[in-house]
Amino acid sequence: MKKDNLTMETIVSLAKRRGFVFPSSEIYGGFAAIYDYGSYGVELANNIKNVWWRNMVQLRDDIVGLDSSIFMSPKIWEASGHVSGFSDPLAECKNCHSRLRVDHLLEDIGVEADEKMTEEEIQKLFDKNKDKLKCSNCGKSDFTDIKKFNLLVKSNLGNFTEDWNKEPVYLRGETCQGIYVNYKNVLDSARVKIPFGIAQVGKVFRNEITARQFVFRTREFEQMEMQYFTLPKDEMKEYEKLKDYRWQYYLDLGIKEDNLRWLKHKNLVFYAKEAYDIEYNFPFGFKELEGVHARGNYDLTQHSKHSGKDLNYIDPVTKEKYLPHIIESSVGVGRTLLAVMCDAYTKEEVNGETRVVMKFNKQLAPIKIAVFPLLKNKPELVKQAKTIFDDLKMKYMCEFDDNGNIGKRYRRQDEIGTPYCVTVDFDTIEKDNSVTVRDRDTMKQERVKIDDLVGYFSGKFKC
Ligand code: GAP
């Protein structure tokens, strides 16, 4: 299928039908901008996180991991600028009272805008185009003035008073603040020296105004972030290296290069030296998948000022003392999952029939091997298939399936992207002690001796 023909409806429907992603709280009518991952979705998301972790931590001798808490001192969010400045431009439709993101309304009519613009800049664009803008809910063109709406989600954690709202504790709006405030701890405990990075994966919460585009933009999501601490004069050199590294990562994941592009930010937040997005060609167009940013020494300056702690680095050799500059790579797990699903989705004609197959990179595939007895009601076939399943599951995420006929099972495994299916038939028992292994992409089948199966698959899943 040509990429241009793929719609979000197709992906959303497959995701639900095959147990990748469910709308949250569905039996209660749903809960906007929140999603749950089903049995294959959680495997896919875990594989994405594991591949990221391997690439960003385990294969790097200059990056270490961290797992900081979702709740942190509210002072951190004041220091970072989130309490005063982490907001999106919002207008209300006077007719249906929908709350709308003004930069999205402008984008919909082809006017370039983003949430990083100042209030004045976006108000000017809004006023200039007011007549052309339409409410995405009711279609009317009557809006309130723009208000900036803060995205931090508040809670009453540890506050037992009625008016907790006056001194809220925030659910973190990005994971990297936990990295900045632990930078000294890591420096003092891990064997790292500048330049080095700290990586973490974790939940993030944002009060997004509009819930659109499935798991692309949600109010609860996971981020995979890496912050790299550099000598000030090396910041841009390291930034270029990080950009190359992150681009290669997506190619190694098997994402088609034509579906990726760089977008340079025109509107930089005041402290940023440079910022690029890696965009993916989603069914709704090229949109941000990951941000790669050069943040200067803003974060450590702020935390040093607000905490009163000296966060300077002292070079062990030259004794030079300075605040490191930071470059970051930041990407959402859900957004990666959506890109990976769109990229893998393939519809092809086979002998006059349509086959839908998710051609996931093998490392990401939720199920690596499915094992079937040819017939469900033949105990000798079932017993042998179970033995093979029990053996292979020690090494790979496997699935045993004896439902329906073999054609149906192949169709199901194709739709969840299982690279290999193993079938036990009568010849296995009576003749050759071999099984049929079917390849998801080529659909070629070959006989493999049961005793050789483990070795056969270790060749196939070599990374
Ligand atoms: N620390 C930098 C930072 O958080 P960001 O551009 O706000 O930067 C980084 O977010 C990445 O997090 C995005 O590129 C995207 O992959 C993901 N992301 C951001 N907001 C999201 C949302 N509401 N839903 C899902 N993923 C989101």
Side-chain angles (χ1 to χ4, degrees):
M1 176 188 248
K2 272 184 61 208
K3 177 84 204 164
D4 301 347
N5 298 334
L6 179 62
T7 62
M8 278 307 285
E9 288 70 34
T10 306
I11 291 293
V12 172
S13 137
L14 184 142
K16 166 106 197 285
R17 187 162 39 86
R18 290 301 185 196
F20 285 91
V21 183
F22 306 129
S24 163
S25 320
E26 205 179 4
I27 61 168
Y28 287 95
F31 196 57
I34 307 277
Y35 289 88
D36 298 336
Y37 291 97
S39 52
Y40 301 122
V42 69
E43 292 297 333
L44 180 55
N46 283 343
N47 293 342
I48 287 169
K49 287 184 271 183
N50 290 339
V51 168
W52 185 89
W53 193 261
R54 179 152 176 74
N55 194 268
M56 295 302 276
V57 180
Q58 294 172 336
L59 294 179
R60 300 278 304 233
D61 39 21
D62 55 345
I63 302 180
V64 295
L66 178 79
D67 187 7
S68 67
S69 302
I70 287 173
F71 288 107
M72 298 190 283
S73 164
K75 289 180 190 154
I76 289 172
W77 302 105
E78 276 157 30
S80 66
H82 283 74
V83 173
S84 56
F86 187 44
S87 52
D88 281 340
L90 170 146
E92 196 172 312
C93 168
K94 286 188 184 165
N95 181 51
C96 71
H97 304 291
S98 288
R99 291 169 169 214
L100 305 155
R101 249 182 88 162
V102 175
D103 52 331
H104 288 167
L105 287 179
L106 287 163
E107 262 179 21
D108 288 346
I109 58 159
V111 177
E112 236 178 76
D114 69 42
E115 74 278 8
K116 286 162 196 105
M117 286 176 160
T118 64
E119 214 160 334
E120 292 74 46
E121 283 171 329
I122 205 127
Q123 184 72 51
K124 240 191 221 165
L125 279 180
F126 184 60
D127 293 340
K128 195 170 149 203
N129 294 284
K130 228 172 189 170
D131 301 343
K132 286 179 253 156
L133 299 177
K134 286 198 173 18
C135 169
S136 44
N137 186 43
C138 70
K140 288 270 167 26
S141 247
D142 194 7
F143 302 103
T144 60
D145 278 342
I146 297 179
K147 269 193 279 196
K148 279 278 192 176
F149 184 80
N150 193 287
L151 301 186
L152 282 178
V153 177
K154 295 172 183 171
S155 89
N156 65 350
L157 186 92
N159 187 327
F160 307 99
T161 63
E162 297 269 299
D163 51 4
W164 62 269
N165 200 19
K166 288 189 187 140
E167 282 179 41
V169 172
Y170 303 100
L171 280 81
R172 68 179 169 198
E174 56 179 7
T175 59
C176 60
Q177 296 303 327
I179 293 181
Y180 305 143
V181 299
N182 275 294
Y183 138 85
K184 267 276 180 194
N185 285 335
V186 172
L187 202 56
D188 294 344
S189 58
R191 297 195 50 76
V192 288
K193 55 183 191 328
I194 297 272
F196 74 96
I198 305 176
Q200 88 165 317
V201 177
K203 282 263 171 142
V204 165
F205 301 83
R206 293 185 186 178
N207 239 337
E208 297 284 355
I209 298 163
T210 39
R212 311 203 294 185
Q213 293 146 342
F214 195 41
V215 290
F216 179 83
R217 189 179 304 285
T218 52
R219 294 187 177 133
E220 172 181 340
F221 59 99
E222 273 184 297
Q223 271 187 329
M224 304 181 280
E225 295 203 295
M226 194 282 293
Q227 309 294 313
Y228 202 72
F229 299 78
T230 71
L231 191 69
K233 74 172 176 42
D234 289 345
E235 180 180 5
M236 296 318 288
K237 185 183 81 189
E238 294 294 347
Y239 182 66
E240 289 309 318
K241 276 178 17 196
L242 182 62
K243 275 175 64 196
D244 290 346
Y245 193 71
R246 293 303 300 158
W247 184 262
Q248 190 56 43
Y249 162 86
Y250 289 107
L251 301 186
D252 292 345
L253 275 192
I255 303 278
K256 297 172 193 82
E257 197 162 8
D258 283 354
N259 288 330
L260 293 169
R261 72 177 187 195
W262 284 108
L263 177 82
K264 187 173 179 178
H265 286 203
K266 285 200 190 108
N267 301 297
L268 287 175
V269 276
F270 69 91
Y271 56 83
K273 289 249 183 66
E274 196 148 278
Y276 274 83
D277 292 338
I278 296 178
E279 293 193 324
Y280 179 77
N281 189 13
F282 293 99
F284 40 86
F286 273 99
K287 291 277 175 215
E288 174 180 347
L289 171 59
E290 151 158 3
V292 188
H293 311 134
R295 304 177 66 114
N297 63 6
Y298 172 77
D299 306 286
L300 292 185
T301 304
Q302 286 301 100
H303 287 305
S304 188
K305 221 190 281 169
H306 284 250
S307 68
K309 297 281 179 317
D310 181 3
L311 298 180
N312 275 300
Y313 176 82
I314 301 173
D315 187 292
V317 179
T318 64
K319 305 295 172 212
E320 191 187 347
K321 188 173 168 182
Y322 58 89
L323 266 189
H325 283 210
I326 294 173
I327 55 174
E328 78 169 340
S329 148
S330 174
V331 58
V333 174
R335 216 173 265 194
T336 308
L337 181 137
L338 180 59
V340 162
M341 287 193 75
C342 293
D343 221 66
Y345 186 90
T346 313
K347 203 169 176 180
E348 46 192 36
E349 289 293 307
V350 180
N351 304 327
E353 286 199 11
T354 303
R355 166 173 106 118
V356 171
V357 50
M358 297 299 273
K359 292 193 174 175
F360 292 127
N361 173 315
K362 286 181 206 169
Q363 277 178 286
L364 297 184
I367 303 293
K368 309 290 187 226
I369 306 163
V371 183
F372 316 144
L374 182 64
L375 296 172
K376 184 183 185 157
N377 57 0
K378 296 287 172 200
E380 65 278 27
L381 299 186
V382 173
K383 188 169 169 232
Q384 180 62 81
K386 278 256 163 78
T387 306
I388 292 173
F389 169 72
D390 285 340
D391 207 18
L392 291 175
K393 80 178 182 197
M394 301 309 288
K395 216 164 162 207
Y396 304 102
M397 184 67 202
C398 293
E399 187 167 273
F400 181 87
D401 190 2
D402 59 3
N403 275 319
N405 61 34
I406 203 88
K408 253 196 187 146
R409 291 181 211 158
Y410 281 154
R411 270 201 297 285
R412 187 167 171 281
Q413 295 298 333
D414 281 348
E415 277 203 306
I416 60 169
T418 305
Y420 299 101
C421 294
V422 169
T423 305
V424 171
D425 55 25
F426 290 105
D427 280 355
T428 311
I429 312 289
E430 291 160 10
K431 276 197 196 151
D432 59 4
N433 208 30
S434 300
V435 290
T436 302
V437 179
R438 181 232 195 212
D439 181 298
R440 175 194 71 195
D441 299 339
T442 62
M443 288 183 291
K444 284 213 176 100
Q445 304 191 359
E446 60 179 314
R447 293 295 281 181
V448 179
K449 287 250 172 272
I450 293 175
D451 288 347
D452 296 343
L453 269 181
V454 171
Y456 174 88
F457 283 122
S458 46
K460 296 286 184 192
F461 286 104
K462 223 171 18 209
C463 50

